[in-house]
Amino acid sequence: MITISIENNSQQPIYIQIYEYIKREILSGQLQAPAKLPSTRSLAAHLEVSRTTVETAYEQLVAEGYVEAKEKRGYFVIPITHLQQFHSNTTSTVTVPAPPIPEQARLFDFNPDMIDTEHFPYSIWKSLSKTQINSADNFVAGEHFGDYRLRQAIARYLRGSRGVQCSPEYVVVGAGLDHLLQMLCLVFERRTPVAMEDPGYPSARQVLLANGYDVIDIPLHNYSFDTQALARSDADICYVTPSHQFPLGFVMPVSRRQELLRWADEKAGRYIIEDDHDSEFRYKGRPIPSLHSLDTKNKVIYIGTFSKAVSPAIRTSYMVLPETLFSQYKNLCGGFSCPVPRFIQSLLTDFIDGGYFEKHLNRMRKIYKGKHDFMLQKIKEYFPEERAEISGDHAGLYIIFHYKGALSEQEIAIRAKKAGILLHPLRNYYASLPVDYKPAYLLGFANLNTDMIAQGIRRLSEQVFV
Amino acid sequence: MITISIENNSQQPIYIQIYEYIKREILSGQLQAPAKLPSTRSLAAHLEVSRTTVETAYEQLVAEGYVEAKEKRGYFVIPITHLQQFHSNTTSTVTVPAPPIPEQARLFDFNPDMIDTEHFPYSIWKSLSKTQINSADNFVAGEHFGDYRLRQAIARYLRGSRGVQCSPEYVVVGAGLDHLLQMLCLVFERRTPVAMEDPGYPSARQVLLANGYDVIDIPLHNYSFDTQALARSDADICYVTPSHQFPLGFVMPVSRRQELLRWADEKAGRYIIEDDHDSEFRYKGRPIPSLHSLDTKNKVIYIGTFSKAVSPAIRTSYMVLPETLFSQYKNLCGGFSCPVPRFIQSLLTDFIDGGYFEKHLNRMRKIYKGKHDFMLQKIKEYFPEERAEISGDHAGLYIIFHYKGALSEQEIAIRAKKAGILLHPLRNYYASLPVDYKPAYLLGFANLNTDMIAQGIRRLSEQVFV
């Protein structure tokens, strides 16, 4: 039995205290694989806390890959070798469902790339813009890697919420993943192929190919990144989405992360590009610490974006370069101008520094969780288990709907069109489709209100996935 | 003698009627090289107009390369072969000197890249921004090549003021020359070297090199682009600044433009990149028509920018792709997002469509001409002819100051530093310095008011170029 001194008056929720304790035990080697954790029932009784509290703690450990849940047998510690120290100081997320928003629904686009534009704090944005729109400073060319004030704000945010320890010096502001990846393409050795997950982000693939790189697709069999396949390949650069795999939606477990870091460490010039595209939105447990926070060898290039948290139309993203790569980058690309207009940079900085960004994130997390939960509930309501399965839930702005019925994808496409529904097949994100591929669809919920979700899922059930 | 039916009641100024008449005569072959034009005195008497009017017309013909002025001998038609039809409908510019702006001067930076930020119509910009900053549309991802409304506004502006005939479909909005050139680098055959002018724009050079292209530097001996050297090279892409060579400031004559177009036409896949970086600002005669306006074979990629006309910090530029290249570009780069935030795109569109952009340009042209003329006057005042010479005047936001005294560049640098003056040596823009290079400096005036210009030039005369 594990004895944890629970502090009831602590600022930390009890489930986090339990989670932190067990994680420390695993990291320090006190708890080793294949140790079995006490059952949730017995630990709850032992600590005199509710069983849900223990379950929440265990689920976070599972999500981060420290522990695995075996059906009907319990929770087991996963073997972890060559462990490095976490230095995450992430904050917990509060989850309250959002009130349903009534609105007339017409065409349903379950677009996974859309965001909610209804709940943006326009009045704050407008009032902040009033001082910046008039400032002559915003009409003078700025720093090439982005304005220092913005880079400071980003570094602070990353330290606080993503466990990314970095100096503002190494933050480079760019115009979206496309742009930053294209800049990185100038720095890497062009003869080196780049590995990426399959399925993965089609734009990233297109940028790499357009820049003359060979792309090695690493298949994600059983929702697991094949580091062996990576090691066998010629790739020295690897592009991954560890905190929320795009598009499959799973979390790369800590053991796999360690393998990836070890792979990078085996050879000079090897780098991992971590695309942390939507880590702001996690609806269960604590945020997953970044891969960057595990990296002690300067091997991870961290890329983040304001596309999901503010707007894709603001075209502002950033990367944190390892010191080793930074001087190379500076030599090659130091003369290029930062593509983000200074007005936008200044406005965004004021938005972050004024605390509005954090407030907005917390609010949107609740709203998105409300929509997410509602969509799951509706799917459960309209689809019997034998007709559909869900994956990639509890994070991001879409879920994956796996169709288990008899219709072919062509038949589904025809029916969806007739029903006025835009579907986004998982198939489109694959470079090579696995032989056992089954029809699956990304269902975005961010841009839909509950009425639309309810109607949309009903239409899916009655007219499409029959 | 040339007989032109001058229409005194025409909307067209008389000098333009004379210029247009002679240009037509040359283009139609009625006037052929080495024909001598009537003297300004005799034509003025013949047409009963002022001599200045005829001189202005002749100077425009000289600026565009139809005619050359030989000292004490008069004006002669230049041989032009394989002429293609102009379709310019450019408007004339009114030139009134701006009132001097009093301000305390401290450190003088004669930065050629700076603009005047004092006379921007901030109140209009702010009032236009009020409707756009709140619009949910500006929070949704836009079109990949830029918002169609903006591309329409750009196409209209280019047709009206630069003689660039294009459909909005072929306009691609980007984030500055760096970015657009980098996108073009993805489309060209990477093994092909790219030719560019030497001296030239260092950022363009850096982008090409960073993208793995060999750069062939075409020397500009005697202020003339060496098309023979281009033809001898392996280059299939040529990057030029024909309307106002950067940094030397001269206009590529029409015969040279024709040679360049013929070179491109000789081989499939050959393209000319025309960087029309600051053509909005010309203080003498009419604007120089773009190279694009001469191109009938779909060989010119026209690049323009709002950096000089609005602000470099707005990071908005555009290119017009030839139809032949457009489909290639679409295939390769069609999936990349436009890097300009939608708010900026919408604001800029309203600024153009509302007529404010044109008004601003006309106002700034007057203000810049005032500063330009004032700087020339001050240089004349403080520097005897044997100590300094000016070139690259009558256009853009800087002039080139050629020092003819005995000091070395090192001595000048030390003196300038001591005098609190930032100088921008022409040397920095060369890839290979010509053997007969003499110390010369770009003197930007855009960001200085007349007081600062007067003080700065005096300091240059008394403390630096002694």
Side-chain angles (χ1 to χ4, degrees):
Chain A
M1 190 46 65
I2 297 171
T3 302
I4 304 167
S5 58
I6 298 293
E7 289 176 47
N8 279 308
N9 300 324
S10 161
Q11 292 241 309
Q12 274 200 327
I14 292 169
Y15 87 90
I16 290 181
Q17 296 182 41
I18 300 171
Y19 152 81
E20 288 285 3
Y21 179 87
I22 299 176
K23 193 174 85 173
R24 265 199 311 276
E25 293 287 289
I26 296 172
L27 288 171
S28 66
Q30 300 295 315
L31 258 174
Q32 284 186 3
K36 182 176 182 295
L37 296 188
S39 75
T40 53
R41 187 191 304 265
S42 62
L43 186 60
H46 179 67
L47 298 176
E48 295 181 324
V49 301
S50 83
R51 198 170 155 192
T52 315
T53 302
V54 177
E55 278 170 359
T56 311
Y58 280 17
E59 273 161 20
Q60 184 68 24
L61 290 165
V62 170
E64 294 185 14
Y66 289 99
V67 159
E68 65 183 321
K70 294 187 179 169
E71 217 171 329
K72 293 191 184 154
R73 292 187 48 211
Y75 293 89
F76 294 84
V77 175
I78 289 175
I80 297 171
T81 43
H82 301 267
L83 268 183
Q84 292 164 322
Q85 196 53 49
F86 265 74
H87 38 70
S88 67
N89 47 353
T90 51
T91 51
S92 68
T93 70
V94 191
T95 50
V96 177
I101 308 132
E103 195 184 270
Q104 200 60 36
R106 286 155 298 113
L107 181 83
F108 294 106
D109 181 1
F110 288 102
N111 194 328
D113 299 327
M114 297 286 266
I115 62 159
D116 180 317
T117 53
E118 204 181 331
H119 296 89
F120 189 78
Y122 292 107
S123 59
I124 285 161
W125 193 250
K126 189 172 186 176
S127 110
L128 291 175
S129 81
K130 275 181 195 159
T131 42
Q132 294 297 351
I133 197 82
N134 255 11
S135 156
D137 276 356
N138 288 328
F139 282 75
V140 176
E143 292 175 64
H144 282 192
F145 292 156
D147 288 351
Y148 199 72
R149 262 182 77 220
L150 176 58
R151 288 152 72 203
Q152 280 180 310
I154 290 170
R156 258 196 311 274
Y157 165 73
L158 288 180
R159 249 194 317 277
S161 76
R162 302 297 303 130
V164 174
Q165 300 290 337
C166 65
S167 146
E169 310 287 340
Y170 301 122
V171 175
V172 175
V173 177
L177 175 76
D178 305 357
H179 169 258
L180 286 175
L181 206 53
Q182 196 171 347
M183 296 308 285
L184 286 175
C185 281
L186 303 183
V187 183
F188 301 136
E189 181 62 60
R190 225 174 271 272
R191 279 160 302 178
T192 312
V194 177
M196 65 177 281
E197 300 157 318
D198 188 20
Y201 187 49
S203 275
R205 213 165 183 281
Q206 199 185 1
V207 171
L208 293 168
L209 292 173
N211 275 278
Y213 284 87
D214 285 331
V215 173
I216 293 174
D217 299 299
I218 306 289
L220 299 175
H221 294 313
N222 302 317
Y223 284 33
S224 167
F225 185 83
D226 190 347
T227 35
Q228 310 255 314
L230 174 64
R232 281 192 306 269
S233 79
D234 291 332
D236 281 337
I237 307 293
C238 181
Y239 166 87
V240 286
T241 50
S243 295
H244 188 222
Q245 203 280 327
F246 185 83
L248 294 180
F250 66 91
V251 177
M252 187 184 283
V254 72
S255 55
R256 205 44 55 94
R257 290 170 186 235
Q258 299 291 358
E259 285 170 27
L260 203 52
L261 290 170
R262 273 204 308 285
W263 165 83
D265 196 31
E266 273 164 14
K267 195 175 153 188
R270 274 194 184 162
Y271 288 102
I272 302 161
I273 303 170
E274 173 180 26
D275 181 5
D276 205 25
H277 56 107
D278 67 355
S279 53
E280 299 89 354
F281 301 115
R282 225 184 141 66
Y283 314 123
K284 203 174 163 186
R286 306 177 63 205
I288 307 294
S290 64
L291 180 61
H292 189 280
S293 68
L294 289 172
D295 173 29
T296 56
K297 305 281 179 66
N298 260 310
K299 286 296 189 178
V300 175
I301 300 158
Y302 177 91
I303 296 187
T305 176
F306 291 103
S307 286
K308 297 283 156 62
V310 176
S311 154
I314 202 180
R315 304 312 302 148
T316 310
S317 59
Y318 46 86
M319 62 181 169
V320 180
L321 289 172
E323 280 178 54
T324 43
L325 202 63
F326 184 77
S327 57
Q328 245 171 290
Y329 186 81
K330 205 171 167 179
N331 284 341
L332 264 163
C333 307
F336 302 178
S337 301
C338 174
V340 183
R342 287 201 76 191
F343 165 73
I344 297 288
Q345 294 193 53
S346 302
L347 186 53
L348 202 50
T349 310
D350 289 351
F351 192 63
I352 301 171
D353 286 352
Y356 307 109
F357 180 57
E358 206 184 327
K359 221 177 269 179
H360 175 58
L361 276 184
N362 289 333
R363 182 162 176 246
M364 290 317 296
R365 206 177 287 117
K366 289 179 209 174
I367 290 171
Y368 284 143
K369 177 173 163 54
K371 294 183 177 189
H372 163 274
D373 290 355
F374 188 75
M375 184 181 261
L376 290 189
Q377 179 197 320
K378 286 291 149 192
I379 290 172
K380 209 171 167 184
E381 199 173 302
Y382 284 105
F383 288 94
E385 265 177 50
E386 62 276 11
R387 194 142 58 94
E389 203 174 42
I390 296 304
S391 73
D393 46 344
H394 304 307
L397 308 184
Y398 65 89
I399 55 159
I400 302 178
F401 178 94
H402 301 265
Y403 174 62
K404 295 161 84 181
L407 293 175
S408 72
E409 286 181 274
Q410 285 76 8
E411 286 168 315
I412 291 166
I414 292 163
R415 282 167 174 275
K417 201 176 170 186
K418 223 165 148 186
I421 291 183
L422 282 174
L423 282 180
H424 301 266
L426 180 59
R427 162 190 290 276
N428 297 349
Y429 300 88
Y430 277 98
S432 340
L433 211 63
V435 284
D436 58 349
Y437 177 80
K438 301 261 170 29
Y441 299 85
L442 275 67
L443 297 184
F445 49 78
N447 195 38
L448 308 174
N449 60 34
T450 42
D451 259 18
M452 291 166 88
I453 293 172
Q455 285 186 50
I457 298 296
R458 207 180 78 196
R459 274 205 223 175
L460 282 184
S461 160
E462 292 171 357
Q463 300 178 43
V464 184
F465 297 110
V466 294
Chain B
M1 189 47 63
I2 297 171
T3 301
I4 305 167
S5 58
I6 298 292
E7 290 177 45
N8 279 309
N9 299 325
S10 161
Q11 291 242 311
Q12 274 200 330
I14 292 168
Y15 87 90
I16 289 182
Q17 296 182 41
I18 299 171
Y19 152 81
E20 288 285 3
Y21 179 87
I22 299 177
K23 193 174 85 174
R24 267 197 311 274
E25 293 287 290
I26 295 172
L27 289 170
S28 66
Q30 300 295 315
L31 258 173
Q32 282 187 3
K36 182 175 182 300
L37 296 188
S39 75
T40 53
R41 186 190 306 264
S42 62
L43 186 60
H46 180 69
L47 298 176
E48 294 179 327
V49 300
S50 83
R51 199 171 154 192
T52 315
T53 302
V54 177
E55 276 170 0
T56 311
Y58 280 17
E59 272 161 21
Q60 183 68 26
L61 291 164
V62 171
E64 294 184 14
Y66 290 99
V67 158
E68 64 183 322
K70 294 187 180 171
E71 216 171 331
K72 294 192 181 150
R73 293 186 48 210
Y75 294 88
F76 294 83
V77 175
I78 289 175
I80 297 172
T81 43
H82 300 267
L83 269 184
Q84 291 165 323
Q85 197 53 49
F86 265 74
H87 38 70
S88 65
N89 47 352
T90 50
T91 51
S92 69
T93 71
V94 191
T95 48
V96 177
I101 309 129
E103 196 184 89
Q104 200 59 35
R106 287 157 296 112
L107 182 82
F108 293 106
D109 182 1
F110 287 103
N111 194 327
D113 298 326
M114 298 286 266
I115 62 159
D116 180 317
T117 54
E118 204 180 331
H119 296 90
F120 189 79
Y122 292 107
S123 59
I124 285 161
W125 194 250
K126 190 173 185 174
S127 111
L128 293 175
S129 81
K130 275 182 195 159
T131 42
Q132 293 297 350
I133 196 81
N134 255 13
S135 155
D137 276 357
N138 288 328
F139 282 75
V140 176
E143 291 175 65
H144 282 194
F145 292 156
D147 289 350
Y148 200 73
R149 261 182 78 221
L150 176 58
R151 288 153 72 203
Q152 280 180 310
I154 290 170
R156 258 197 312 274
Y157 165 72
L158 288 180
R159 250 195 315 278
S161 75
R162 302 298 301 132
V164 173
Q165 301 290 338
C166 65
S167 146
E169 311 286 339
Y170 301 121
V171 175
V172 175
V173 177
L177 174 75
D178 305 356
H179 168 258
L180 287 176
L181 206 52
Q182 197 171 345
M183 297 307 286
L184 286 175
C185 281
L186 303 183
V187 183
F188 302 137
E189 182 61 61
R190 225 174 272 273
R191 281 161 301 180
T192 312
V194 177
M196 65 178 280
E197 300 158 318
D198 188 19
Y201 188 48
S203 275
R205 213 166 183 280
Q206 199 186 1
V207 171
L208 293 169
L209 292 174
N211 276 279
Y213 283 89
D214 286 330
V215 173
I216 292 174
D217 298 299
I218 306 289
L220 299 175
H221 294 313
N222 302 318
Y223 284 34
S224 166
F225 184 83
D226 189 347
T227 35
Q228 310 256 316
L230 174 65
R232 282 192 307 269
S233 79
D234 292 332
D236 280 337
I237 307 294
C238 181
Y239 165 87
V240 285
T241 50
S243 295
H244 188 221
Q245 204 279 328
F246 184 82
L248 294 180
F250 66 90
V251 177
M252 187 184 283
V254 72
S255 55
R256 205 44 55 94
R257 292 173 184 233
Q258 299 291 357
E259 284 170 29
L260 204 52
L261 290 170
R262 273 203 308 285
W263 165 83
D265 196 31
E266 274 163 15
K267 194 175 153 187
R270 275 194 182 161
Y271 288 102
I272 301 161
I273 304 171
E274 173 181 27
D275 182 5
D276 205 25
H277 56 107
D278 67 356
S279 53
E280 300 89 353
F281 301 115
R282 228 188 136 66
Y283 314 124
K284 203 174 162 186
R286 305 176 64 203
I288 308 294
S290 64
L291 180 63
H292 189 280
S293 69
L294 289 172
D295 172 31
T296 55
K297 304 281 178 67
N298 259 311
K299 286 295 188 178
V300 174
I301 300 159
Y302 177 92
I303 296 187
T305 176
F306 291 102
S307 286
K308 297 284 156 60
V310 175
S311 155
I314 202 180
R315 304 314 301 148
T316 310
S317 59
Y318 46 85
M319 60 181 171
V320 180
L321 289 173
E323 279 177 55
T324 43
L325 202 62
F326 183 77
S327 58
Q328 245 170 290
Y329 186 81
K330 204 171 169 180
N331 284 341
L332 263 164
C333 307
F336 302 179
S337 301
C338 174
V340 183
R342 286 200 76 191
F343 165 73
I344 297 289
Q345 293 193 54
S346 302
L347 185 53
L348 203 50
T349 310
D350 289 352
F351 192 64
I352 301 171
D353 286 352
Y356 306 109
F357 179 58
E358 204 183 330
K359 221 179 267 179
H360 174 59
L361 276 184
N362 289 334
R363 182 161 176 248
M364 289 317 297
R365 205 177 288 118
K366 288 178 209 172
I367 290 171
Y368 285 143
K369 177 173 163 54
K371 293 183 179 191
H372 162 272
D373 291 355
F374 188 75
M375 184 182 260
L376 289 189
Q377 180 196 320
K378 285 291 148 191
I379 290 172
K380 209 170 168 185
E381 200 173 300
Y382 284 106
F383 289 94
E385 264 178 48
E386 62 277 12
R387 195 141 57 94
E389 202 175 42
I390 296 305
S391 72
D393 46 343
H394 304 306
L397 308 184
Y398 65 90
I399 55 158
I400 302 179
F401 177 93
H402 301 265
Y403 174 61
K404 295 161 84 181
L407 294 175
S408 73
E409 287 180 274
Q410 286 76 7
E411 287 169 315
I412 291 166
I414 292 163
R415 281 167 175 276
K417 203 177 168 186
K418 223 165 145 185
I421 291 183
L422 283 172
L423 284 179
H424 301 267
L426 180 59
R427 163 189 288 276
N428 298 349
Y429 300 87
Y430 276 97
S432 339
L433 211 63
V435 283
D436 57 349
Y437 177 79
K438 300 260 171 29
Y441 299 86
L442 275 66
L443 296 185
F445 50 77
N447 195 38
L448 307 174
N449 59 36
T450 43
D451 260 16
M452 292 164 87
I453 293 172
Q455 284 186 50
I457 299 296
R458 207 181 77 195
R459 274 204 223 175
L460 282 184
S461 161
E462 291 172 359
Q463 300 178 46
V464 184
F465 297 110
V466 292

